[in-house]
C-alpha cells in the first residue's frame, strides 16, 4: 500500500491537474463568494487516512448568494434553444473524456472504490452527457384532436427553474451528472450539494464545467456547487425558489426532504435505500449467478444502493451455492483500491465499520449464523481500520436486521422451498424496492418475476445481478426507496413542467362538452 505521504502527494497532483485548490467551498461555476471564514472540515482518504484537503463549509449567507446567482443565470439559460443547450452538455462530456483518468483516480482516493469503478463512474457521466445531447432534440409533447371545430391542442414542456441536487458519498459524481445534464438540456439551472464526505470530486467537476462555460462566454450560475452539512440540505428542502429537489441517500434522510418539500407543494425526486435480492431458482445457471452475486455483494465494499444484500436460493441448489461462495470469499483480494489486483477496497469511514460490526452482532443475536468473514482487518496495510472481510450470514428474511439496509458487504443467505412465487413472496417482503434479479433458464419463472405478481422493485433483471444499471433506462425504486426516476427513458420529464395548450383559429367561440352560453 502507498504510504500516507505518497498518497497525499499524488492527490495534490491530481487536484492540481483538475484545477482544484484547497480552501473555499461555495461556488458558482468556479467563482468564490467571498472568503468563507466559517466551519472547516478535513477530508481524509478512507484508503489510509491521509489528509487530502481542508474545505470550508458554506453558511446560510453563502447559500443565499448561490441561489440568487442561479436565479439570475436561469433567465439567460432558459432562452437558449434546447439543442444549443445540448451542445454545451456535449462539450462537458468531451471535457470529462479528457479528464477521465485523473477524475477517476480522485474518486478512488476520496471515496475508496477500486480504480476501475472510479473510471466507470466517470464513464457514467460521459454516457449521460451523450444521452442528454440526443434528448435535447427530442423533448416531445403530444398533439391531440379537439372536440371543438377549428381548434388545435397540444402539450409541451418548460423548465422548472432552479433544481436542487443532494448527492451521496458512494457515487460522488455520477448521480449529480444524471440529474444535472438532463435538467440542463431542459433549460434548468442546478445547485449541487455533494456529500460532505466527498467534496473534492465535486469541486473537480465544478472546475471542469466552469472551463466549458467560460469557453462559451456563458454566465455564472448555470451549474452551481455548495459544500455544507445537513443544514444546507434543510435550506434547500424548505426553499420555495427551488421547485424540485433531487435527493439521494438513506430512507431516513429522504423522508425529511420529502416532508419539507411536500409541505410547500414542491417536487422531490427521491433515490433512497435498497435491500436488493437475487433469486436463484433450481433452474439457474450457477456460473453466471455466482459471479453476479459476488460482484453485487462485495463491489464498492457493499456501499452501492444497488448492492446485493439478500440471496434467496432454492433448497435443491442451496448447499452447492453456499459451498461455492464459501470457497470464493476467503480468496477475495482486499486492500488498496488503486492496486489492479484489488477487488474490495475500504469502507468510507469508521462509522461505516461500526455499523458493519453492529449489524453482524444483531443478526447473530436474532438467530443468524455467520458463515464467513466479518473481521476488521489489521496490520500494516490496513492500519487505518476501514478494511473489513465481506461476510455471509445464513438468516431468515423476517429478521429485523435483514429487513434493514446496512451499507456494508453483508450478504444474507436465505433458503426457499416450493415454486418461484414463494421466492417472490420472500423477495418482496421488505420495505425497500430498488433493484432485484432472478437467475433462471426457465422462461415461465422469468416472466413470472417480471409480471404484476413478480418483483415490486423499480428495477427487475433476469440473469444479471442487481447492480450495474445502464444510463439508458430509468433508474429508481418503489416503497421506501422513494419512487424517483433518474437517468434514461423519459426521466427528463421530471425536471420539466407540463403545459397543455389549446388554440382557436376560428372566429367562433364554441365551448367544450357542448355547453351553450350566451350573453
Amino acid at each position: 500500500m502507498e504510504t500516507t505521504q505518497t498518497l497525499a502527494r499524488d492527490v495534490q497532483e491530481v487536484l492540481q491537474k483538475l484545477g482544484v485548490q484547497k480552501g473555499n467551498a461555495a461556488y458558482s461555476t468556479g467563482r468564490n463568494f467571498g472568503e468563507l471564514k466559517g466551519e472547516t472540515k478535513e477530508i481524509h482518504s478512507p484508503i489510509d487516512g491521509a489528509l487530502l484537503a481542508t474545505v470550508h463549509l458554506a453558511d446560510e449567507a453563502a447559500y443565499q448568494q448561490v441561489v440568487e446567482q442561479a436565479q439570475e443565470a436561469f433567465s439567460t439559460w432558459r432562452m437558449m434553444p434546447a439543442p444549443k443547450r445540448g451542445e454545451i452538455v456535449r462539450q462537458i462530456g468531451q471535457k470529462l473524456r479528457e479528464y477521465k483518468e485523473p477524475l477517476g483516480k480522485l474518486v478512488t482516493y476520496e471515496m475508496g472504490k477500486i480504480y476501475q469503478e472510479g473510471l466507470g463512474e466517470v464513464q457514467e457521466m460521459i454516457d449521460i452527457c451523450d444521452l442528454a445531447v440526443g434528448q435535447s432534440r427530442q423533448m416531445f409533447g403530444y398533439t391531440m384532436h379537439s372536440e371543438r371545430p377549428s381548434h388545435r391542442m397540444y402539450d409541451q414542456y418548460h423548465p422548472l427553474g432552479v433544481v436542487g441536487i443532494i448527492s451521496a458519498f458512494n457515487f460522488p459524481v455520477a448521480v449529480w451528472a444524471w440529474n444535472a445534464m438532463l435538467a440542463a438540456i431542459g433549460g434548468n439551472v442546478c445547485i449541487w450539494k455533494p456529500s460532505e464526505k466527498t467534496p473534492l470530486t465535486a469541486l473537480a467537476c465544478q472546475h471542469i464545467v466552469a472551463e466549458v462555460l467560460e469557453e462559451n462566454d456563458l454566465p455564472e450560475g448555470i451549474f452551481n456547487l455548495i459544500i455544507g452539512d445537513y443544514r444546507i440540505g434543510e435550506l434547500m428542502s424548505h426553499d420555495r425558489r427551488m421547485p424540485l429537489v433531487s435527493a439521494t441517500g438513506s430512507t431516513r434522510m429522504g423522508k425529511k426532504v420529502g416532508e419539507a418539500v411536500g409541505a410547500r407543494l414542491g417536487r422531490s425526486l427521491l433515490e433512497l435505500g435498497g435491500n436488493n435480492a437475487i433469486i436463484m431458482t433450481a433452474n439457474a445457471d450457477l456460473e453466471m449467478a455466482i459471479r453476479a452475486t459476488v460482484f453485487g455483494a462485495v463491489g464498492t465494499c457493499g456501499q452501492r444502493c444497488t448492492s446485493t444484500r439478500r440471496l434467496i436460493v432454492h433448497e435443491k441448489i442451496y448447499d452447492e451455492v453456499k459451498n461455492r461462495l464459501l470457497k470464493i470469499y476467503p480468496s477475495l483480494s482486499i486492500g488498496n483500491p488503486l492496486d489492479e489486483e484489488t477487488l474490495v477496497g475500504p469502507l468510507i469511514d469508521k462509522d461505516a465499520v461500526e455499523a458493519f460490526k453492529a449489524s453482524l452482532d444483531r443478526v447473530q443475536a436474532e438467530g443468524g449464523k455467520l458463515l464467513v468473514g466479518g473481521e476488521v482487518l489489521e496490520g500494516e496495510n490496513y492500519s487505518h481500520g476501514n478494511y473489513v472481510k465481506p461476510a455471509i450470514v445464513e438468516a431468515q428474511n423476517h429478521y429485523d436486521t435483514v429487513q434493514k439496509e446496512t451499507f456494508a458487504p453483508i450478504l444474507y443467505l436465505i433458503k426457499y422451498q416450493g415454486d418461484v412465487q414463494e421466492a417472490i413472496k420472500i423477495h418482496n417482503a421488505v420495505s425497500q424496492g430498488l433493484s432485484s434479479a432472478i437467475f433462471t433458464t426457465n422462461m415461465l419463472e422469468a416472466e413470472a418475476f417480471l409480471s404484476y405478481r413478480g418483483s415490486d422493485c423499480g428495477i427487475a433483471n433476469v440473469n444479471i445481478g442487481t447492480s450495474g444499471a445502464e444510463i439508458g433506462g430509468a433508474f429508481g425504486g418503489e416503497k421506501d426507496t422513494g419512487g424517483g426516476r433518474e437517468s434514461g427513458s423519459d426521466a427528463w420529464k421530471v425536471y420539466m413542467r407540463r403545459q397543455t395548450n389549446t388554440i382557436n383559429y376560428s372566429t367562433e367561440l364554441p365551448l367544450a362538452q357542448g355547453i351553450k352560453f350566451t350573453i
Side-chain angles (χ1 to χ4, degrees):
M1 179 173 291
E2 294 182 273
T3 65
T4 296
Q5 292 80 9
T6 303
L7 180 60
R9 183 200 65 210
D10 289 350
V11 170
Q12 294 311 315
E13 290 178 357
V14 169
L15 292 176
Q16 185 176 12
K17 186 171 184 179
L18 293 167
V20 179
Q21 297 178 352
K22 297 181 184 180
N24 295 314
Y27 281 83
S28 179
T29 58
R31 172 175 175 260
N32 270 316
F33 288 110
E35 288 296 318
L36 297 175
K37 299 179 180 178
E39 299 177 51
T40 61
K41 181 176 177 62
E42 293 184 343
I43 307 302
H44 294 266
S45 174
I47 296 174
D48 68 351
L51 176 63
L52 304 182
T54 300
V55 297
H56 286 270
L57 301 181
D59 57 14
E60 184 171 355
Y63 168 80
Q64 297 299 339
Q65 287 180 288
V66 170
V67 176
E68 290 168 9
Q69 185 86 1
Q71 287 184 300
E72 183 178 343
F74 175 57
S75 62
T76 300
W77 182 244
R78 67 181 176 180
M79 297 306 295
M80 288 183 66
K84 297 294 185 183
R85 297 192 294 257
E87 167 59 18
I88 301 303
V89 171
R90 187 197 66 79
Q91 293 179 36
I92 292 172
Q94 189 58 38
K95 285 285 187 192
L96 290 170
R97 285 177 170 87
E98 296 173 13
Y99 287 113
K100 181 177 178 178
E101 183 177 335
L103 185 53
K105 186 170 285 189
L106 182 58
V107 169
T108 293
Y109 280 137
E110 189 175 34
M111 186 269 152
K113 62 178 60 176
I114 63 175
Y115 182 44
Q116 283 300 311
E117 290 190 87
L119 291 173
E121 182 162 353
V122 180
Q123 187 61 48
E124 281 194 62
M125 301 171 73
I126 295 168
D127 291 345
I128 198 66
C129 286
D130 288 350
L131 184 144
V133 172
Q135 192 69 71
S136 70
R137 293 180 180 270
Q138 299 182 83
M139 290 185 287
F140 301 129
Y142 292 103
T143 59
M144 290 78 70
H145 289 279
S146 174
E147 66 183 67
R148 290 167 284 185
S150 301
H151 281 58
R152 179 165 60 91
M153 296 177 64
Y154 68 94
D155 61 23
Q156 60 179 329
Y157 292 85
H158 297 297
L160 289 170
V162 180
V163 172
I165 303 169
I166 301 172
S167 63
F169 76 86
N170 60 326
F171 280 87
V173 292
V175 172
W176 161 73
W178 288 2
N179 285 272
M181 299 309 146
L182 289 180
I185 56 107
N188 302 283
V189 297
C190 301
I191 297 177
W192 178 20
K193 179 206 169 300
S195 168
E196 60 268 34
K197 295 181 180 181
T198 52
L200 302 182
T201 45
L203 286 166
C205 288
Q206 191 70 5
H207 278 270
I208 291 169
V209 169
E211 287 185 23
V212 174
L213 296 183
E214 184 176 355
E215 290 167 2
N216 288 273
D217 196 28
L218 286 168
E220 297 175 340
I222 297 170
F223 296 93
N224 302 275
L225 172 69
I226 187 161
I227 295 171
D229 58 19
Y230 70 94
R231 288 170 289 191
I232 296 298
E234 288 181 346
L235 288 171
M236 295 170 72
S237 299
H238 289 90
D239 197 332
R240 295 184 65 88
R241 296 169 295 180
M242 208 167 290
L244 170 66
V245 176
S246 173
T248 302
S250 68
T251 298
R252 177 182 58 82
M253 178 275 286
K255 287 181 177 179
K256 291 182 178 179
V257 172
E259 181 179 357
V261 176
R264 58 178 173 86
L265 298 181
R267 298 189 199 177
S268 56
L269 192 169
L270 302 176
E271 297 288 359
L272 312 177
N275 196 348
N276 317 295
I278 290 176
I279 294 173
M280 286 191 199
T281 77
N283 298 298
D285 180 328
L286 292 188
E287 295 300 324
M288 292 172 57
I290 294 292
R291 288 205 310 273
T293 298
V294 175
F295 176 76
V298 308
T300 323
C301 203
Q303 296 171 115
R304 296 193 194 106
C305 52
T306 56
S307 289
T308 304
R309 312 241 174 248
R310 298 175 295 140
L311 184 59
I312 303 167
V313 185
H314 193 274
E315 61 179 349
K316 288 183 179 180
I317 59 171
Y318 182 85
D319 288 339
E320 182 179 358
V321 170
K322 179 172 75 171
N323 291 335
R324 291 181 66 166
L325 289 172
L326 292 181
K327 287 181 180 178
I328 293 171
Y329 264 56
S331 65
L332 293 172
S333 175
I334 306 169
N336 186 344
L338 291 167
D339 187 333
E340 290 185 359
E341 300 300 317
T342 296
L343 297 176
V344 184
L347 287 167
I348 186 66
D349 55 24
K350 296 291 193 304
D351 289 343
V353 174
E354 291 304 312
F356 172 76
K357 292 161 57 179
S359 291
L360 289 175
D361 288 342
R362 285 196 305 271
V363 74
Q364 289 179 87
E366 292 171 315
K369 181 181 179 182
L370 178 62
L371 299 178
V372 67
E375 302 93 341
V376 178
L377 293 171
E378 299 177 348
E380 181 180 355
N381 289 339
Y382 312 107
S383 58
H384 191 50
N386 288 345
Y387 295 85
V388 301
K389 288 188 177 181
I392 299 177
V393 179
E394 277 189 315
Q396 298 294 321
N397 195 68
H398 66 268
Y399 291 169
D400 184 63
T401 308
V402 178
Q403 290 284 310
K404 297 176 180 176
E405 178 188 43
T406 302
F407 231 49
I410 303 174
L411 178 65
Y412 299 113
L413 193 55
I414 300 166
K415 183 189 296 186
Y416 82 93
Q417 301 172 326
D419 63 14
V420 70
Q421 287 300 331
E422 180 60 28
I424 292 171
K425 180 180 178 182
I426 295 170
H427 172 279
N428 290 349
V430 293
S431 63
Q432 308 86 354
L434 179 52
S435 187
S436 60
I438 188 171
F439 277 84
T440 179
T441 57
N442 183 302
M443 183 183 72
L444 300 182
E445 291 177 333
E447 291 296 329
F449 183 72
L450 300 177
S451 74
Y452 70 94
R453 297 178 59 205
S455 168
D456 62 359
C457 293
I459 299 169
N461 298 327
V462 176
N463 293 329
I464 61 171
T466 60
S467 56
E470 298 181 32
I471 58 93
F475 180 91
E478 301 299 325
K479 302 189 293 187
D480 279 359
T481 302
R485 292 297 185 274
E486 297 169 329
S487 191
S489 186
D490 65 348
W492 63 272
K493 295 179 180 179
V494 175
Y495 310 95
M496 311 296 284
R497 61 180 177 88
R498 184 170 182 162
Q499 184 182 76
T500 300
N501 306 118
T502 305
I503 300 168
N504 179 1
Y505 55 93
S506 75
T507 58
E508 304 295 326
L509 191 63
L511 300 177
Q513 292 84 47
I515 296 173
K516 303 295 183 183
F517 181 78
T518 58
I519 55 173

